[in-house]
Amino acid sequence: MEMSKGKQELILKDSKEGLVMIQSTAKGMHIQTSKEKNVNLKSTQPRFLAGPFSVPTPFTEDEKKLILYLFDDKLAEMYGLDVVVRTEYSSITRSSMRSLLLRAWIDGDQVVLGDSGDLNPYRRASRFQERYMPQLETCEKIYVPVHCEAHWYMLVIDILRQTADIWDSLESLSQREKMINQSLTILASLDFLLLREARLRFGSNFNFLHFQLGRQTGLPQQPNDFDCGYYTLKYMDNPSIVADQSYQHDSDYARILLALYLAQSPLNDIRHKLMQDASNGYGKCSAADSQRAPCKQTSELRKAARNINLNQTPSEALLKTLL
């Protein structure tokens, strides 16, 4: 079915994914897919392509180049271990960044607490207290992202109230016992890592393991089975979301904004080089080029991309970049 409306053209086509709306205007072509066969055109909003993402608002030319560069399939295959975000204490590889692709599970490169429960190697290798908690006396809350059988949730530890609450974006009765046991293990681990300093600050009877364990209610819940990692990050970055029932989740938009935030952050020591490489590697590309090779990819660019990872330490968890 085709409809014309002034200088705009709306084209509806059936596909395996549902009904696709293609809107052509003077500013470009917008595509939207609906799983419903009956779509109210008046309420259907155009979407803009940015690399592999479909978003409700357009991005600048430089942002689109950066998105294409970060999520390029060929570069990921050749240089998946190259670092694209590097802060003072953490780094993110190109491979880890790709966990922000739609329907992918957000993941990092490091497991802190494995099956052995031995935290001594982690404490020595990560310089945990020096990096993240050098002054425990000024700390009020600790946010711990936890992975439980292919699902992320967060444990919020309130030192002043001596409570530990589970924040879960996909509540499941079948996982509650597992989460409780994991949370108790984390509290015991904090006693191992921080007990001496904590008792100097809070008294000789202080124990994280004695904190009252509970669950946070009223949290926005994820509308799918793959955005638990993003919701955990959202809880950490904006804890006040617990009282915001108006939050509307757009998975493509949320993930692309997070990728741009990480890459363009002033905390990213290689952001200028990253954006320069993206600009050199991609000329003025159309949105349809999101899954193609770069418009311009010289041997010098490949060498520059390869050199990003020189003299870097192993990557730490993606989630730590927001601490």
Side-chain angles (χ1 to χ4, degrees), residues 73-112:
D73 291 337
K74 290 187 177 180
L75 290 179
E77 183 179 344
M78 293 186 293
Y79 310 115
L81 295 180
D82 281 359
V83 171
V84 294
V85 177
R86 185 179 66 210
T87 66
E88 184 178 1
Y89 299 128
S90 303
S91 58
I92 303 174
T93 63
R94 184 181 294 276
S95 177
S96 287
M97 181 67 80
R98 287 177 65 81
S99 72
L100 289 176
L101 287 168
L102 187 61
R103 303 188 71 87
W105 286 346
I106 295 178
D107 205 355
D109 299 320
Q110 184 184 64
V111 175
V112 172

mmCIF file of all heavy atoms in Angstrom, residues 73-112:
data_model
loop_
_atom_site.group_PDB
_atom_site.id
_atom_site.type_symbol
_atom_site.label_atom_id
_atom_site.label_comp_id
_atom_site.label_asym_id
_atom_site.label_seq_id
_atom_site.Cartn_x
_atom_site.Cartn_y
_atom_site.Cartn_z
ATOM 1 N N ASP A 73 31.471 -4.482 11.629
ATOM 2 C CA ASP A 73 31.656 -5.937 11.743
ATOM 3 C C ASP A 73 33.076 -6.366 11.376
ATOM 4 O O ASP A 73 33.669 -7.218 12.051
ATOM 5 C CB ASP A 73 30.653 -6.677 10.847
ATOM 6 C CG ASP A 73 29.227 -6.540 11.342
ATOM 7 O OD1 ASP A 73 29.046 -6.270 12.546
ATOM 8 O OD2 ASP A 73 28.289 -6.698 10.536
ATOM 9 N N LYS A 74 33.625 -5.780 10.305
ATOM 10 C CA LYS A 74 34.958 -6.199 9.852
ATOM 11 C C LYS A 74 36.033 -5.785 10.847
ATOM 12 O O LYS A 74 36.969 -6.549 11.118
ATOM 13 C CB LYS A 74 35.244 -5.621 8.468
ATOM 14 C CG LYS A 74 34.408 -6.262 7.372
ATOM 15 C CD LYS A 74 34.834 -5.790 5.992
ATOM 16 C CE LYS A 74 34.045 -6.496 4.900
ATOM 17 N NZ LYS A 74 34.453 -6.053 3.553
ATOM 18 N N LEU A 75 35.932 -4.567 11.391
ATOM 19 C CA LEU A 75 36.906 -4.138 12.387
ATOM 20 C C LEU A 75 36.810 -4.997 13.646
ATOM 21 O O LEU A 75 37.824 -5.294 14.284
ATOM 22 C CB LEU A 75 36.687 -2.665 12.739
ATOM 23 C CG LEU A 75 37.046 -1.643 11.660
ATOM 24 C CD1 LEU A 75 36.763 -0.225 12.149
ATOM 25 C CD2 LEU A 75 38.507 -1.779 11.256
ATOM 26 N N ALA A 76 35.599 -5.391 14.000
ATOM 27 C CA ALA A 76 35.431 -6.247 15.180
ATOM 28 C C ALA A 76 36.092 -7.591 14.962
ATOM 29 O O ALA A 76 36.696 -8.173 15.876
ATOM 30 C CB ALA A 76 33.944 -6.420 15.482
ATOM 31 N N GLU A 77 35.978 -8.111 13.751
ATOM 32 C CA GLU A 77 36.589 -9.409 13.447
ATOM 33 C C GLU A 77 38.109 -9.338 13.473
ATOM 34 O O GLU A 77 38.784 -10.241 13.966
ATOM 35 C CB GLU A 77 36.110 -9.871 12.068
ATOM 36 C CG GLU A 77 36.610 -11.241 11.670
ATOM 37 C CD GLU A 77 36.087 -11.674 10.317
ATOM 38 O OE1 GLU A 77 35.110 -11.055 9.822
ATOM 39 O OE2 GLU A 77 36.653 -12.631 9.739
ATOM 40 N N MET A 78 38.654 -8.233 12.977
ATOM 41 C CA MET A 78 40.112 -8.106 12.901
ATOM 42 C C MET A 78 40.738 -7.563 14.180
ATOM 43 O O MET A 78 41.839 -7.956 14.554
ATOM 44 C CB MET A 78 40.476 -7.179 11.727
ATOM 45 C CG MET A 78 40.146 -7.738 10.367
ATOM 46 S SD MET A 78 40.754 -6.679 9.007
ATOM 47 C CE MET A 78 39.717 -5.227 9.215
ATOM 48 N N TYR A 79 40.038 -6.644 14.847
ATOM 49 C CA TYR A 79 40.624 -5.935 15.983
ATOM 50 C C TYR A 79 39.701 -5.935 17.194
ATOM 51 O O TYR A 79 39.526 -4.917 17.860
ATOM 52 C CB TYR A 79 40.943 -4.486 15.592
ATOM 53 C CG TYR A 79 41.729 -4.351 14.310
ATOM 54 C CD1 TYR A 79 41.167 -3.731 13.198
ATOM 55 C CD2 TYR A 79 43.019 -4.862 14.217
ATOM 56 C CE1 TYR A 79 41.884 -3.621 12.028
ATOM 57 C CE2 TYR A 79 43.741 -4.750 13.049
ATOM 58 C CZ TYR A 79 43.174 -4.129 11.940
ATOM 59 O OH TYR A 79 43.885 -4.019 10.779
ATOM 60 N N GLY A 80 39.102 -7.079 17.486
ATOM 61 C CA GLY A 80 38.140 -7.155 18.576
ATOM 62 C C GLY A 80 38.708 -6.826 19.941
ATOM 63 O O GLY A 80 37.993 -6.357 20.829
ATOM 64 N N LEU A 81 40.013 -7.036 20.118
ATOM 65 C CA LEU A 81 40.629 -6.781 21.426
ATOM 66 C C LEU A 81 41.181 -5.368 21.563
ATOM 67 O O LEU A 81 41.698 -5.014 22.624
ATOM 68 C CB LEU A 81 41.753 -7.805 21.681
ATOM 69 C CG LEU A 81 41.307 -9.265 21.805
ATOM 70 C CD1 LEU A 81 42.513 -10.164 22.067
ATOM 71 C CD2 LEU A 81 40.277 -9.428 22.911
ATOM 72 N N ASP A 82 41.077 -4.575 20.512
ATOM 73 C CA ASP A 82 41.539 -3.188 20.608
ATOM 74 C C ASP A 82 40.688 -2.414 21.606
ATOM 75 O O ASP A 82 39.474 -2.598 21.696
ATOM 76 C CB ASP A 82 41.465 -2.509 19.249
ATOM 77 C CG ASP A 82 42.641 -2.887 18.359
ATOM 78 O OD1 ASP A 82 43.492 -3.651 18.816
ATOM 79 O OD2 ASP A 82 42.684 -2.407 17.210
ATOM 80 N N VAL A 83 41.324 -1.515 22.323
ATOM 81 C CA VAL A 83 40.628 -0.712 23.327
ATOM 82 C C VAL A 83 40.012 0.516 22.657
ATOM 83 O O VAL A 83 40.681 1.229 21.908
ATOM 84 C CB VAL A 83 41.605 -0.288 24.440
ATOM 85 C CG1 VAL A 83 40.954 0.719 25.380
ATOM 86 C CG2 VAL A 83 42.080 -1.507 25.216
ATOM 87 N N VAL A 84 38.724 0.759 22.930
ATOM 88 C CA VAL A 84 38.037 1.933 22.390
ATOM 89 C C VAL A 84 37.677 2.933 23.482
ATOM 90 O O VAL A 84 37.348 4.083 23.188
ATOM 91 C CB VAL A 84 36.775 1.530 21.594
ATOM 92 C CG1 VAL A 84 37.156 0.755 20.339
ATOM 93 C CG2 VAL A 84 35.814 0.724 22.456
ATOM 94 N N VAL A 85 37.707 2.500 24.732
ATOM 95 C CA VAL A 85 37.508 3.399 25.869
ATOM 96 C C VAL A 85 38.562 3.072 26.909
ATOM 97 O O VAL A 85 38.712 1.912 27.301
ATOM 98 C CB VAL A 85 36.099 3.260 26.494
ATOM 99 C CG1 VAL A 85 35.963 4.161 27.715
ATOM 100 C CG2 VAL A 85 35.018 3.589 25.474
ATOM 101 N N ARG A 86 39.300 4.090 27.333
ATOM 102 C CA ARG A 86 40.325 3.870 28.350
ATOM 103 C C ARG A 86 40.256 4.996 29.366
ATOM 104 O O ARG A 86 40.422 6.170 29.031
ATOM 105 C CB ARG A 86 41.721 3.823 27.726
ATOM 106 C CG ARG A 86 42.821 3.481 28.732
ATOM 107 C CD ARG A 86 44.175 3.414 28.065
ATOM 108 N NE ARG A 86 44.582 4.731 27.583
ATOM 109 C CZ ARG A 86 45.354 4.932 26.523
ATOM 110 N NH1 ARG A 86 45.778 3.908 25.822
ATOM 111 N NH2 ARG A 86 45.685 6.156 26.139
ATOM 112 N N THR A 87 39.989 4.624 30.611
ATOM 113 C CA THR A 87 40.001 5.594 31.709
ATOM 114 C C THR A 87 41.203 5.294 32.595
ATOM 115 O O THR A 87 42.009 4.415 32.287
ATOM 116 C CB THR A 87 38.701 5.516 32.528
ATOM 117 O OG1 THR A 87 38.640 4.249 33.194
ATOM 118 C CG2 THR A 87 37.479 5.666 31.634
ATOM 119 N N GLU A 88 41.305 6.008 33.700
ATOM 120 C CA GLU A 88 42.456 5.828 34.581
ATOM 121 C C GLU A 88 42.558 4.403 35.089
ATOM 122 O O GLU A 88 43.653 3.863 35.240
ATOM 123 C CB GLU A 88 42.356 6.795 35.765
ATOM 124 C CG GLU A 88 43.559 6.757 36.692
ATOM 125 C CD GLU A 88 43.446 7.760 37.822
ATOM 126 O OE1 GLU A 88 42.422 8.465 37.899
ATOM 127 O OE2 GLU A 88 44.392 7.839 38.637
ATOM 128 N N TYR A 89 41.413 3.761 35.363
ATOM 129 C CA TYR A 89 41.431 2.445 35.984
ATOM 130 C C TYR A 89 40.777 1.353 35.150
ATOM 131 O O TYR A 89 40.881 0.178 35.490
ATOM 132 C CB TYR A 89 40.711 2.497 37.341
ATOM 133 C CG TYR A 89 41.350 3.431 38.338
ATOM 134 C CD1 TYR A 89 40.602 4.395 38.991
ATOM 135 C CD2 TYR A 89 42.709 3.355 38.622
ATOM 136 C CE1 TYR A 89 41.177 5.258 39.914
ATOM 137 C CE2 TYR A 89 43.293 4.209 39.529
ATOM 138 C CZ TYR A 89 42.528 5.161 40.182
ATOM 139 O OH TYR A 89 43.111 6.012 41.091
ATOM 140 N N SER A 90 40.069 1.712 34.106
ATOM 141 C CA SER A 90 39.302 0.716 33.358
ATOM 142 C C SER A 90 39.467 0.921 31.861
ATOM 143 O O SER A 90 39.906 1.978 31.406
ATOM 144 C CB SER A 90 37.808 0.798 33.715
ATOM 145 O OG SER A 90 37.603 0.628 35.094
ATOM 146 N N SER A 91 39.093 -0.099 31.102
ATOM 147 C CA SER A 91 39.109 0.004 29.648
ATOM 148 C C SER A 91 38.027 -0.891 29.065
ATOM 149 O O SER A 91 37.576 -1.847 29.700
ATOM 150 C CB SER A 91 40.482 -0.381 29.080
ATOM 151 O OG SER A 91 40.815 -1.706 29.464
ATOM 152 N N ILE A 92 37.594 -0.551 27.857
ATOM 153 C CA ILE A 92 36.577 -1.329 27.151
ATOM 154 C C ILE A 92 37.117 -1.678 25.774
ATOM 155 O O ILE A 92 37.578 -0.800 25.039
ATOM 156 C CB ILE A 92 35.257 -0.540 27.005
ATOM 157 C CG1 ILE A 92 34.726 -0.114 28.370
ATOM 158 C CG2 ILE A 92 34.213 -1.372 26.279
ATOM 159 C CD1 ILE A 92 33.500 0.781 28.284
ATOM 160 N N THR A 93 37.060 -2.933 25.417
ATOM 161 C CA THR A 93 37.511 -3.357 24.098
ATOM 162 C C THR A 93 36.384 -3.183 23.084
ATOM 163 O O THR A 93 35.212 -3.029 23.427
ATOM 164 C CB THR A 93 37.940 -4.825 24.114
ATOM 165 O OG1 THR A 93 36.807 -5.640 24.450
ATOM 166 C CG2 THR A 93 39.055 -5.072 25.122
ATOM 167 N N ARG A 94 36.759 -3.231 21.823
ATOM 168 C CA ARG A 94 35.766 -3.165 20.761
ATOM 169 C C ARG A 94 34.775 -4.329 20.882
ATOM 170 O O ARG A 94 33.573 -4.172 20.656
ATOM 171 C CB ARG A 94 36.463 -3.218 19.392
ATOM 172 C CG ARG A 94 35.527 -3.060 18.205
ATOM 173 C CD ARG A 94 36.319 -3.153 16.905
ATOM 174 N NE ARG A 94 37.237 -2.040 16.742
ATOM 175 C CZ ARG A 94 36.897 -0.855 16.251
ATOM 176 N NH1 ARG A 94 35.649 -0.634 15.882
ATOM 177 N NH2 ARG A 94 37.789 0.099 16.122
ATOM 178 N N SER A 95 35.296 -5.494 21.277
ATOM 179 C CA SER A 95 34.427 -6.667 21.443
ATOM 180 C C SER A 95 33.395 -6.445 22.543
ATOM 181 O O SER A 95 32.215 -6.768 22.384
ATOM 182 C CB SER A 95 35.281 -7.895 21.762
ATOM 183 O OG SER A 95 34.472 -9.033 22.003
ATOM 184 N N SER A 96 33.821 -5.893 23.681
ATOM 185 C CA SER A 96 32.881 -5.624 24.766
ATOM 186 C C SER A 96 31.870 -4.546 24.378
ATOM 187 O O SER A 96 30.698 -4.629 24.756
ATOM 188 C CB SER A 96 33.634 -5.195 26.027
ATOM 189 O OG SER A 96 34.290 -6.291 26.622
ATOM 190 N N MET A 97 32.312 -3.543 23.643
ATOM 191 C CA MET A 97 31.392 -2.491 23.209
ATOM 192 C C MET A 97 30.257 -3.070 22.375
ATOM 193 O O MET A 97 29.111 -2.601 22.435
ATOM 194 C CB MET A 97 32.152 -1.435 22.416
ATOM 195 C CG MET A 97 31.305 -0.268 21.935
ATOM 196 S SD MET A 97 30.670 0.768 23.276
ATOM 197 C CE MET A 97 32.125 1.773 23.640
ATOM 198 N N ARG A 98 30.545 -4.139 21.628
ATOM 199 C CA ARG A 98 29.522 -4.737 20.771
ATOM 200 C C ARG A 98 28.430 -5.437 21.575
ATOM 201 O O ARG A 98 27.399 -5.806 21.015
ATOM 202 C CB ARG A 98 30.169 -5.709 19.786
ATOM 203 C CG ARG A 98 30.946 -5.010 18.685
ATOM 204 C CD ARG A 98 31.640 -6.003 17.776
ATOM 205 N NE ARG A 98 30.701 -6.821 17.027
ATOM 206 C CZ ARG A 98 30.092 -6.438 15.917
ATOM 207 N NH1 ARG A 98 30.306 -5.214 15.426
ATOM 208 N NH2 ARG A 98 29.273 -7.249 15.285
ATOM 209 N N SER A 99 28.643 -5.610 22.864
ATOM 210 C CA SER A 99 27.560 -6.168 23.674
ATOM 211 C C SER A 99 26.422 -5.160 23.844
ATOM 212 O O SER A 99 25.366 -5.494 24.382
ATOM 213 C CB SER A 99 28.078 -6.630 25.039
ATOM 214 O OG SER A 99 28.401 -5.534 25.867
ATOM 215 N N LEU A 100 26.616 -3.923 23.358
ATOM 216 C CA LEU A 100 25.552 -2.926 23.354
ATOM 217 C C LEU A 100 24.683 -3.012 22.094
ATOM 218 O O LEU A 100 23.714 -2.259 21.961
ATOM 219 C CB LEU A 100 26.125 -1.514 23.471
ATOM 220 C CG LEU A 100 26.717 -1.151 24.830
ATOM 221 C CD1 LEU A 100 27.343 0.246 24.787
ATOM 222 C CD2 LEU A 100 25.656 -1.195 25.922
ATOM 223 N N LEU A 101 25.019 -3.909 21.171
ATOM 224 C CA LEU A 101 24.167 -4.108 20.009
ATOM 225 C C LEU A 101 22.792 -4.593 20.453
ATOM 226 O O LEU A 101 22.650 -5.246 21.495
ATOM 227 C CB LEU A 101 24.795 -5.131 19.053
ATOM 228 C CG LEU A 101 26.004 -4.641 18.248
ATOM 229 C CD1 LEU A 101 26.700 -5.812 17.580
ATOM 230 C CD2 LEU A 101 25.583 -3.592 17.221
ATOM 231 N N LEU A 102 21.782 -4.293 19.670
ATOM 232 C CA LEU A 102 20.411 -4.626 20.041
ATOM 233 C C LEU A 102 20.249 -6.121 20.275
ATOM 234 O O LEU A 102 20.753 -6.942 19.505
ATOM 235 C CB LEU A 102 19.443 -4.170 18.949
ATOM 236 C CG LEU A 102 17.961 -4.318 19.286
ATOM 237 C CD1 LEU A 102 17.583 -3.480 20.501
ATOM 238 C CD2 LEU A 102 17.087 -3.944 18.089
ATOM 239 N N ARG A 103 19.550 -6.457 21.347
ATOM 240 C CA ARG A 103 19.226 -7.821 21.765
ATOM 241 C C ARG A 103 20.436 -8.583 22.311
ATOM 242 O O ARG A 103 20.305 -9.749 22.699
ATOM 243 C CB ARG A 103 18.574 -8.633 20.630
ATOM 244 C CG ARG A 103 17.318 -7.997 20.059
ATOM 245 C CD ARG A 103 16.614 -8.935 19.091
ATOM 246 N NE ARG A 103 16.007 -10.034 19.812
ATOM 247 C CZ ARG A 103 14.786 -10.011 20.354
ATOM 248 N NH1 ARG A 103 14.046 -8.907 20.254
ATOM 249 N NH2 ARG A 103 14.315 -11.058 20.984
ATOM 250 N N ALA A 104 21.605 -7.952 22.344
ATOM 251 C CA ALA A 104 22.781 -8.598 22.936
ATOM 252 C C ALA A 104 22.763 -8.381 24.449
ATOM 253 O O ALA A 104 22.232 -7.395 24.942
ATOM 254 C CB ALA A 104 24.062 -8.031 22.345
ATOM 255 N N TRP A 105 23.341 -9.324 25.177
ATOM 256 C CA TRP A 105 23.463 -9.174 26.628
ATOM 257 C C TRP A 105 24.700 -8.350 26.938
ATOM 258 O O TRP A 105 25.803 -8.671 26.508
ATOM 259 C CB TRP A 105 23.561 -10.540 27.301
ATOM 260 C CG TRP A 105 22.236 -11.258 27.323
ATOM 261 C CD1 TRP A 105 21.004 -10.717 27.064
ATOM 262 C CD2 TRP A 105 22.019 -12.639 27.609
ATOM 263 N NE1 TRP A 105 20.042 -11.669 27.177
ATOM 264 C CE2 TRP A 105 20.619 -12.865 27.515
ATOM 265 C CE3 TRP A 105 22.857 -13.688 27.942
ATOM 266 C CZ2 TRP A 105 20.054 -14.111 27.739
ATOM 267 C CZ3 TRP A 105 22.290 -14.934 28.170
ATOM 268 C CH2 TRP A 105 20.900 -15.142 28.071
ATOM 269 N N ILE A 106 24.506 -7.271 27.681
ATOM 270 C CA ILE A 106 25.636 -6.420 28.046
ATOM 271 C C ILE A 106 26.582 -7.196 28.945
ATOM 272 O O ILE A 106 26.160 -7.800 29.930
ATOM 273 C CB ILE A 106 25.139 -5.144 28.752
ATOM 274 C CG1 ILE A 106 24.310 -4.308 27.777
ATOM 275 C CG2 ILE A 106 26.315 -4.333 29.296
ATOM 276 C CD1 ILE A 106 23.737 -3.056 28.371
ATOM 277 N N ASP A 107 27.855 -7.181 28.596
ATOM 278 C CA ASP A 107 28.824 -7.982 29.337
ATOM 279 C C ASP A 107 30.154 -7.265 29.359
ATOM 280 O O ASP A 107 30.394 -6.329 28.610
ATOM 281 C CB ASP A 107 28.980 -9.356 28.677
ATOM 282 C CG ASP A 107 29.451 -10.421 29.645
ATOM 283 O OD1 ASP A 107 29.750 -10.071 30.811
ATOM 284 O OD2 ASP A 107 29.540 -11.592 29.257
ATOM 285 N N GLY A 108 31.048 -7.739 30.237
ATOM 286 C CA GLY A 108 32.390 -7.187 30.349
ATOM 287 C C GLY A 108 33.422 -8.265 30.129
ATOM 288 O O GLY A 108 33.134 -9.341 29.632
ATOM 289 N N ASP A 109 34.656 -7.969 30.511
ATOM 290 C CA ASP A 109 35.769 -8.876 30.248
ATOM 291 C C ASP A 109 36.340 -9.514 31.505
ATOM 292 O O ASP A 109 37.353 -10.187 31.445
ATOM 293 C CB ASP A 109 36.905 -8.114 29.553
ATOM 294 C CG ASP A 109 36.468 -7.535 28.232
ATOM 295 O OD1 ASP A 109 35.736 -8.235 27.513
ATOM 296 O OD2 ASP A 109 36.829 -6.391 27.941
ATOM 297 N N GLN A 110 35.703 -9.304 32.656
ATOM 298 C CA GLN A 110 36.321 -9.782 33.887
ATOM 299 C C GLN A 110 35.263 -10.284 34.858
ATOM 300 O O GLN A 110 34.224 -9.674 35.033
ATOM 301 C CB GLN A 110 37.121 -8.649 34.549
ATOM 302 C CG GLN A 110 37.869 -9.099 35.798
ATOM 303 C CD GLN A 110 38.548 -7.935 36.469
ATOM 304 O OE1 GLN A 110 37.910 -7.014 36.949
ATOM 305 N NE2 GLN A 110 39.860 -7.970 36.525
ATOM 306 N N VAL A 111 35.524 -11.420 35.474
ATOM 307 C CA VAL A 111 34.687 -11.953 36.541
ATOM 308 C C VAL A 111 35.421 -11.739 37.855
ATOM 309 O O VAL A 111 36.560 -12.176 38.018
ATOM 310 C CB VAL A 111 34.398 -13.455 36.332
ATOM 311 C CG1 VAL A 111 33.630 -14.007 37.514
ATOM 312 C CG2 VAL A 111 33.608 -13.675 35.049
ATOM 313 N N VAL A 112 34.796 -11.049 38.794
ATOM 314 C CA VAL A 112 35.457 -10.730 40.054
ATOM 315 C C VAL A 112 35.354 -11.885 41.031
ATOM 316 O O VAL A 112 36.328 -12.345 41.596
ATOM 317 C CB VAL A 112 34.855 -9.443 40.668
ATOM 318 C CG1 VAL A 112 35.408 -9.208 42.071
ATOM 319 C CG2 VAL A 112 35.167 -8.255 39.781
#
